[in-house]
Amino acid sequence: MEIALLGGTGDIGEGLALRWAADSAHDVLVGSRDPERAAAKATEYATALDERGRDASVEGLGNVEAAQRADVIVTAVPAYHLTDTVESIADELSSDDVLVSPAVGMKRDEDGFHYNRPGVGSVTQLAANAAPDDVPVVGAFHNLAAGRLADLDADLDWDTVVVGDESDAKDTVIELAESIEGLRALDGGPLANAAEIEGLTPLLINVARHNDGLHDLGVRFR
């Protein structure tokens, strides 16, 4: 498959791009509002992979072109850019595509990070509301520590919970997630459960900030 990472020049986008390119046979399309920035980042990722002996397909494109070509489109953008990003590529999406949202809304005060739940119920629901009605939307990759994800020398031992209303779309994302070595995907049920998953991210950040040795904290269910 071809996987487009819109906002693939950012933290979570970089980690997913590098891991999929290193661990799977899928083609990775790094998307950005600025095609030149996307191309530069794709070259940077390809160089990092080549240095580790990984021959991978990584290409940088504008978001619209990346979405047009891809089978799975991951909106690796902050929550406050999510709706605009989905709307900007909506005409390129079809019912055969899968749109994936890893975004989490957070706010910060002197006590730490807190989940900023939108009025529609979750950030994943924001993506679903912005997407065409016939395009399946899946929430996944919400609770991954971006720094460790992007460090190809680091082993992963994490779970990611996948939520969505269409089973075939969820199965596709579960398969993609588990093509990353050390990542296990778990079915979290319908999209209505997204808020519970998204709300774990600020908790993990707060725990990591206050405990030595837990900088790249993730989730593992046992």
Side-chain angles (χ1 to χ4, degrees):
M1 287 188 291
E2 287 193 298
I3 309 168
L5 289 150
L6 311 187
T9 61
D11 291 345
I12 188 69
E14 176 179 2
L16 289 172
L18 287 170
R19 292 286 177 169
W20 271 319
D23 295 344
S24 80
H26 301 299
D27 294 331
V28 174
L29 306 175
V30 177
S32 172
R33 289 175 294 178
D34 180 352
E36 291 184 1
R37 175 170 170 77
K41 276 294 185 179
T43 298
E44 178 184 314
Y45 299 163
T47 299
L49 291 159
D50 184 64
E51 290 173 350
R52 290 168 173 79
R54 310 288 179 90
D55 183 17
S57 175
V58 184
E59 185 177 354
L61 302 165
N63 280 339
V64 172
E65 187 178 355
Q68 185 180 46
R69 284 180 44 180
D71 306 295
V72 175
I73 299 95
V74 182
T75 54
V77 297
Y80 50 83
H81 285 317
L82 179 60
T83 295
D84 288 346
T85 300
V86 175
E87 290 177 347
S88 73
I89 56 136
D91 289 344
E92 312 305 328
L93 302 175
S94 74
S95 59
D96 294 329
D97 296 323
V98 179
L99 184 68
V100 184
S101 173
V104 174
M106 291 186 287
K107 54 188 176 181
R108 184 180 185 180
D109 59 24
E110 62 183 13
D111 296 317
F113 289 83
H114 311 281
Y115 180 48
N116 188 18
R117 181 171 181 162
V120 298
S122 70
V123 177
T124 308
Q125 186 63 54
L126 285 176
N129 289 356
D133 291 341
D134 61 344
V135 175
V137 175
V138 174
F141 313 116
H142 298 104
N143 313 132
L144 307 182
R148 187 173 187 85
L149 188 66
D151 181 0
L152 293 176
D153 294 324
D155 293 331
L156 304 183
D157 184 23
W158 292 334
D159 292 331
T160 184
V161 181
V162 180
V163 294
D165 293 336
E166 297 195 24
S167 58
D168 288 347
K170 274 199 299 187
D171 288 345
T172 295
V173 177
I174 287 170
E175 180 182 349
L176 281 178
E178 294 197 334
S179 69
I180 296 175
E181 186 175 346
L183 191 62
R184 182 177 67 167
L186 300 175
D187 190 338
L191 195 146
N193 294 338
E196 285 69 32
I197 307 307
E198 294 171 11
L200 288 176
T201 299
L203 170 64
L204 294 173
I205 294 172
N206 291 331
V207 172
R209 291 176 65 222
H210 293 288
N211 293 272
D212 293 339
L214 294 180
H215 177 68
D216 291 317
L217 191 61
V219 172
R220 186 72 173 176
F221 295 92
R222 301 187 187 278

